[in-house]
Amino acid sequence: MNNEIGIYIHIPFCLSKCFYCDFASFARKEDLIEQYVFALCNEILKNAEILSQYKITTIYIGGGTPSYIDEKYIKQILDTLMLFVNKEDLKEVTIELNPNSVTKEKLETYKEAGVNRLSIGLQSTYNNILKKIGRVHKLEDFENALNLANEIGFNNISLDLIYPLPDLNLEHFKASVDYILSLKSKNIKHISIYNLEIHENTKLAFLLNEGYVTLVDEDEEYEMYKYLKDTFEKNGYHRYEISNYALKGYESKHNLRYWNQELYLGFGSGASSFFGGARYSNIKNVEKYVECIENNCSTIDDESYEELDLLSLMKEYVMLSLRKTEGLDITKFNNKYKKDVYEIFGEELKELENNKLIEKDKNHIRLTSRGLEVANLVWEKFV
């Protein structure tokens, strides 16, 4: 039995909500921060028996905006978690940063508390576009945060970029990619490139529907995709997952847990877990979450709880594996489930191969270049 586990910590607080955001994050709830952190630490302690049985190998602090709250709270959370950590087992501790809320004092505290990887939400290199998507930082804030991180000694830094964005054309997007590559010497080891999703009931959906902002057409968006893929790979950032590029050895260990269908526990409001053959999330409402902890009742959102049967686990394993550019390891699948992947999914795999969406070698099945571009068509076969 593999007794390793990853931990996700959710910090739901933000200065303001980005126009495209559909996550469990909230602005103007600063009065709840101290109470929330106390509740979160108590949730960790209530799971002491489980945590004591596993090797915690990765910790990821996401949000929301973890860097928005006082650094003493991040230290309090990590200090609580470290009660159950053997430091020899712990490989990666990541915290997400919004550039405008980074200070030298925060970064120093994070480092002392055990953080060894930063994920900075750049999203765009153009201040006018950042404003149009509700981001509260400017490019200058990002550059300041990056310089501080390097000064303090962080040598494993990831950044996020989103495309397409309102009023972003191909020429300007190419300039953004080139700018990011110029930062390689500043310890940018990992780049997450997210394709913009328009969620209902977000401000961005309203602005697009009413014509206040526009996006490029599909052809220009495809040119953006091709440029970033080719340019990053030529410069040593290999694409190891559909949305992620890294220098060799700097792939996100925590996120690989998700794509390898490995165990993780989430703490905090809205935090997701995969444990005991089930997927589930905590309730998103911050006040209700705190109340549940105080009253010693379950924080799990009952509607989110899904116990996966064997077939569902196998389908999910195939989909998650195909997200990685190395693809599905046939031997690992067969050993994990004691079944031959072609006996279970032979028809689906044959159709995908005939349509040139997947390819196989002796022991791997992976998406083709075309498959990577239209991955949703592949996922449909395993839903």
Side-chain angles (χ1 to χ4, degrees):
M1 171 187 161
N2 185 342
N3 70 333
E4 294 183 354
I5 199 165
I7 302 296
Y8 174 75
I9 300 292
H10 191 68
I11 306 296
F13 305 102
C14 291
L15 176 60
S16 64
K17 199 165 176 80
C18 301
F19 294 172
Y20 55 83
C21 181
D22 193 39
F23 294 137
S25 59
F26 308 93
R28 297 178 295 280
K29 288 186 181 284
E30 289 80 5
D31 57 322
L32 289 172
I33 291 174
E34 185 171 5
Q35 196 177 2
Y36 175 83
V37 170
F38 187 75
L40 194 154
C41 290
N42 268 309
E43 187 190 6
I44 293 169
L45 294 171
K46 285 178 181 180
N47 284 272
E49 187 175 347
I50 292 172
L51 293 172
S52 298
Q53 294 172 24
Y54 287 86
K55 293 180 181 177
I56 297 173
T57 59
T58 63
I59 298 170
Y60 193 103
I61 306 172
T65 310
S67 59
Y68 178 57
I69 69 175
D70 193 292
E71 60 269 28
K72 70 182 181 184
Y73 295 124
I74 300 297
K75 184 178 187 303
Q76 183 180 344
I77 293 165
L78 285 174
D79 284 351
T80 305
L81 263 179
M82 292 301 173
L83 296 172
F84 309 100
V85 170
N86 180 335
K87 292 192 176 176
E88 290 180 3
D89 299 326
L90 190 59
K91 308 301 181 192
E92 183 183 89
V93 183
T94 302
I95 188 168
E96 291 181 349
L97 310 176
N98 195 324
N100 75 310
S101 57
V102 173
T103 65
K104 186 177 181 181
E105 291 72 28
K106 285 181 178 178
L107 292 175
E108 286 174 340
T109 301
Y110 299 160
K111 202 166 197 305
E112 288 167 10
V115 172
N116 58 15
R117 183 175 183 271
L118 305 177
S119 178
I120 308 178
L122 173 59
Q123 315 309 5
S124 175
T125 62
Y126 295 96
N127 290 341
N128 62 319
I129 291 175
L130 288 168
K131 193 172 183 181
K132 286 176 181 175
I133 59 173
R135 297 291 292 179
V136 291
H137 76 272
K138 295 181 177 179
L139 180 62
E140 295 78 8
D141 297 320
F142 167 77
E143 291 173 336
N144 177 61
L146 185 59
N147 289 335
L148 284 174
N150 275 266
E151 180 187 326
I152 287 160
F154 284 100
N155 61 5
N156 187 358
I157 303 172
S158 176
L159 64 80
D160 293 350
L161 191 72
I162 300 176
Y163 84 102
L165 287 173
D167 303 333
L168 176 68
N169 62 30
L170 178 59
E171 180 187 350
H172 288 143
F173 181 74
K174 286 181 176 180
S176 292
V177 171
D178 294 345
Y179 169 80
I180 289 169
L181 287 172
S182 75
L183 304 174
K184 194 174 180 181
S185 63
K186 293 194 172 184
N187 291 306
I188 299 295
K189 304 292 176 60
H190 186 281
I191 304 161
S192 294
I193 307 284
Y194 296 110
N195 199 251
L196 179 67
E197 293 183 25
I198 312 299
H199 297 283
E200 287 183 31
N201 303 319
T202 59
K203 287 185 180 180
L204 184 56
F206 171 81
L207 293 172
L208 286 166
N209 290 338
E210 298 299 320
Y212 290 110
V213 296
T214 58
L215 300 176
V216 294
D217 61 28
E218 287 183 5
D219 290 339
E220 196 164 348
E221 182 181 335
Y222 181 67
E223 290 300 318
M224 290 178 172
Y225 164 81
K226 275 180 59 181
Y227 185 79
L228 74 88
K229 177 181 177 295
D230 294 344
T231 307
F232 284 143
E233 289 180 347
K234 282 177 189 171
N235 285 273
Y237 291 93
H238 76 106
R239 187 184 192 182
Y240 71 100
E241 191 271 344
I242 282 181
S243 302
N244 290 277
Y245 295 77
L247 299 179
K248 276 289 183 189
Y250 289 92
E251 301 82 0
S252 169
K253 292 179 175 63
H254 184 81
N255 287 341
L256 279 167
R257 296 200 67 81
Y258 301 153
W259 304 319
N260 290 330
Q261 203 187 51
E262 295 170 346
L263 300 180
Y264 59 91
L265 283 175
F267 296 106
S269 64
S272 297
S273 299
F274 175 57
F275 188 78
R279 292 196 179 278
Y280 53 90
S281 302
N282 279 342
I283 50 178
K284 291 182 180 179
N285 183 287
V286 175
E287 291 87 346
K288 285 184 180 177
Y289 167 80
V290 171
E291 188 180 326
C292 276
I293 294 293
E294 290 175 348
N295 293 326
N296 204 29
C297 60
S298 173
T299 59
I300 295 174
D301 177 358
D302 291 335
E303 289 184 13
S304 75
Y305 191 89
E306 181 187 9
E307 201 156 329
L308 301 174
D309 59 26
L310 182 61
L311 181 60
S312 297
L313 285 166
M314 290 190 291
K315 285 180 177 180
E316 184 186 84
Y317 188 82
V318 172
M319 285 192 287
L320 290 171
S321 295
L322 289 176
R323 289 190 64 91
K324 301 177 294 179
T325 49
E326 75 173 12
L328 172 69
D329 186 310
I330 296 169
T331 301
K332 282 185 180 177
F333 178 95
N334 296 349
N335 289 340
K336 184 180 177 76
Y337 292 109
K338 311 299 182 214
K339 293 183 182 294
D340 187 298
V341 68
Y342 280 98
E343 281 184 25
I344 308 298
F345 301 118
E347 190 177 317
E348 293 88 344
L349 294 171
K350 185 177 180 181
E351 183 182 345
L352 291 168
E353 192 172 0
N354 288 341
N355 291 327
K356 298 186 171 17
L357 298 180
I358 62 169
E359 59 190 7
K360 63 178 181 178
D361 59 24
K362 189 175 180 181
N363 197 50
H364 284 85
I365 302 166
R366 62 179 63 85
L367 296 180
T368 60
S369 295
R370 178 63 181 153
L372 286 164
E373 293 167 11
V374 293
N376 285 340
L377 297 179
V378 179
W379 310 153
E380 286 174 9
K381 299 295 178 187
F382 302 98
V383 172

